[in-house]
Amino acid sequence: MLPRRRHELPPTAGLPLQLADLRPGAPTLAADVAALLGLPPLALTCSGTAALLLALATLRELQPQRRRVVVPAFTCPLVAIAVRQAGLELQLCDLAPGHHDLDPAALRAACDERTLAIVPTHLAGRVADVDAALAVANEVGAYVIEDAAQALGARRADGASVGLAGDVGFFSLAAGKGLSIYEGGLLTARDPALRERLADAAARVPRQSGWEWRRCFELLGYAVLYRPWGLRLAYGNPLRRALRRGDEIAAVGDDFPPTIPLHRVGRWRQAVGAHAAARLPAFLAHTAAQAQRRLSRLRDIPGVQVLDDPPHARSTWPFFLLLLPDQRRRDAALAQLWQSGLGVSRLFIRALPDYPYLAGVVPAADVPRARDFAARSLTVGNSPWMDEADFEAVCGVLEAVLR
Ligand SMILES: *Cc1c(COP(=O)(O)O)cnc(C)c1O
């Protein structure tokens, strides 16, 4: 194992908060983000999962005879929890070979007149193949919900933000996902009438001050600790404790409660997010430029595949998502890097059917490519705090493992 560093790098590039962000202000977060990123009006929700839940409930009202929601077999467990909480049926679709996109043939086979929605996912800031999902959705009469939880600010080749090619798009403002108010989400739709419905659904959510107080304290803690010295306490030490007891699911925070709360986001957290959002475009540009410089170095390591975008996309780079040739070498790399404080981690530990705690939520399914993706992938952080020496140290371990 590499010697542990004094500081801890985060696994994803979150926008750090500044003291001045914590001052009160106008609750204009959703409108500010829409203006900054060229998005249509956004509804603010208490999490990305809550945004998905509201979207599913709204679409279900429009198409009550359709109950199935098709999601990638390798995605955030919260997606499965939202489908269950919406009273709908989860249907898994396996991945395309060596990629995290939905496999087009498997998607076609999974969809029929019972399908309510398909959820292509912009994982790791990469621009997903939404057009393939739209083609199948149009054929069977289903909706497309773009899960852009990890891709706020990412743009397609035509310059439009992700989240707008399908019927509905949502983003996450959770801790570590770019812009954060500790927990939050943004929801929109391409069609103004559907957007109006979603906004109404979001406005009907109860206030629940207990949850909001809790999130305010958590956001304060995040503001204080999301820096290289604080991350050791808030992220690195719990990670290492979980790995020592062999709990990889807890180590990456894949262990979620069976239901998610629904409440409104208060004025103060909106103001904090709005203050920070002003720095978001510059932050995204900075991390994207850093990623472009480092991509070729990673790609030149024989045996490393870096997940990339369709040509000309201008996406975001919260971290690099890598595939190694096999699980043995992926695990060998992680044995040296995961606990080193260098911001190397894994995305989702397993394919969705393989989380024991989701047994009642996710149907058993034969999804070999999702399992392969979980077994061979790892992530390399792209935080501005990761300097050239840190990055080289990671590349050195990858080279040694793959030699
Ligand atoms: C984080 C995440 C979500 C859920 O977002 P939250 O804001 O954490 O509720 C959904 N989908 C994907 C792919 C995610 O990474």
Side-chain angles (χ1 to χ4, degrees):
M1 213 184 289
L2 291 185
R4 175 116 54 88
R5 304 163 73 262
R6 221 156 48 79
H7 294 319
E8 183 93 31
L9 295 174
T12 68
L15 174 68
L17 292 173
Q18 298 174 355
L19 189 60
D21 294 335
L22 304 180
R23 71 191 189 277
T28 53
L29 173 57
D32 289 7
V33 171
L36 285 164
L37 300 179
L39 284 156
L42 299 164
L44 180 66
T45 60
C46 64
S47 66
T49 314
L52 175 58
L53 180 57
L54 291 172
L56 291 171
T58 301
L59 298 180
R60 186 185 167 173
E61 278 171 20
L62 294 171
Q63 296 280 345
Q65 75 290 3
R66 292 175 179 258
R67 303 299 289 268
R68 294 196 172 167
V69 182
V70 179
V71 314
F74 181 77
T75 191
C76 182
L78 285 166
V79 172
I81 290 170
V83 172
R84 204 267 306 265
Q85 202 167 333
L88 296 165
E89 289 167 34
L90 187 73
Q91 188 164 12
L92 301 181
C93 179
D94 207 358
L95 307 184
H99 204 279
H100 50 79
D101 266 337
L102 295 164
D103 181 64
L107 182 62
R108 183 65 202 80
C111 293
D112 59 24
E113 73 289 346
R114 292 168 292 187
T115 308
L116 176 66
I118 304 169
V119 187
T121 302
H122 302 282
L123 225 46
R126 314 278 47 77
V127 174
D129 186 359
V130 178
D131 294 342
L134 277 170
V136 176
N138 287 337
E139 227 175 288
V140 301
Y143 294 103
V144 169
I145 302 175
E146 287 183 53
D147 179 344
Q150 300 188 0
L152 181 64
R155 293 177 186 281
R156 296 158 53 100
D158 61 7
S161 167
V162 296
L164 304 176
D167 299 286
V168 175
F170 73 92
F171 304 91
S172 169
L173 304 175
K177 283 187 184 171
L179 177 63
S180 180
I181 53 170
Y182 198 78
E183 287 281 13
L186 295 165
L187 176 62
T188 192
R190 195 188 45 207
D191 171 54
L194 180 54
R195 206 186 301 145
E196 198 66 35
R197 274 182 170 268
L198 295 173
D200 285 347
R204 282 197 306 273
V205 166
R207 207 166 281 286
Q208 304 238 45
S209 61
W211 272 107
E212 187 54 25
W213 273 110
R214 174 172 165 177
R215 295 297 186 234
C216 288
F217 282 111
E218 287 169 331
L219 180 57
L220 265 179
Y222 181 75
V224 172
L225 293 174
Y226 196 84
R227 16 213 110 240
W229 54 264
L231 279 161
R232 177 149 182 206
L233 203 71
Y235 165 72
N237 290 347
L239 164 81
R240 285 178 281 271
R241 272 200 303 277
L243 287 177
R244 270 200 301 277
R245 38 169 221 276
D247 189 346
E248 296 182 334
I249 292 174
V252 300
D254 266 359
D255 46 348
F256 297 103
T259 57
I260 58 118
L262 268 183
H263 61 97
R264 296 250 278 280
V265 176
R267 287 181 66 95
W268 180 67
R269 284 202 301 143
Q270 289 192 52
V272 174
H275 295 142
R279 297 190 303 280
L280 182 65
F283 181 79
L284 293 176
H286 179 83
T287 47
Q290 175 169 282
Q292 290 307 330
R293 288 196 303 275
R294 292 178 176 179
L295 264 171
S296 56
R297 172 74 176 96
L298 283 172
R299 285 204 196 98
D300 285 347
I301 302 173
V304 168
Q305 179 193 343
V306 188
L307 275 296
D308 205 344
D309 293 306
H312 310 301
R314 282 179 287 141
S315 55
T316 57
W317 292 89
F319 52 89
F320 301 98
L321 180 55
L322 273 56
L323 284 175
L324 299 198
D326 51 51
Q327 178 167 12
R328 183 181 61 78
R329 279 176 281 190
R330 194 282 308 269
D331 288 345
L334 284 178
Q336 297 191 57
L337 291 171
W338 207 349
Q339 303 191 38
S340 67
L342 286 165
V344 173
S345 184
R346 281 163 71 180
L347 187 45
F348 309 119
I349 290 295
R350 303 207 173 154
L352 278 184
D354 301 336
Y355 289 96
Y357 81 98
L358 289 179
V361 179
V362 179
D366 183 28
V367 285
R369 288 176 186 156
R371 291 191 165 117
D372 175 66
F373 203 96
R376 292 197 291 126
S377 55
L378 62 83
T379 62
V380 176
N382 187 38
S383 157
W385 295 316
M386 185 181 203
D387 62 25
E388 292 305 322
D390 299 326
F391 180 67
E392 262 315 306
V394 172
C395 292
V397 169
L398 292 173
E399 279 171 336
V401 162
L402 293 167
R403 193 167 292 137

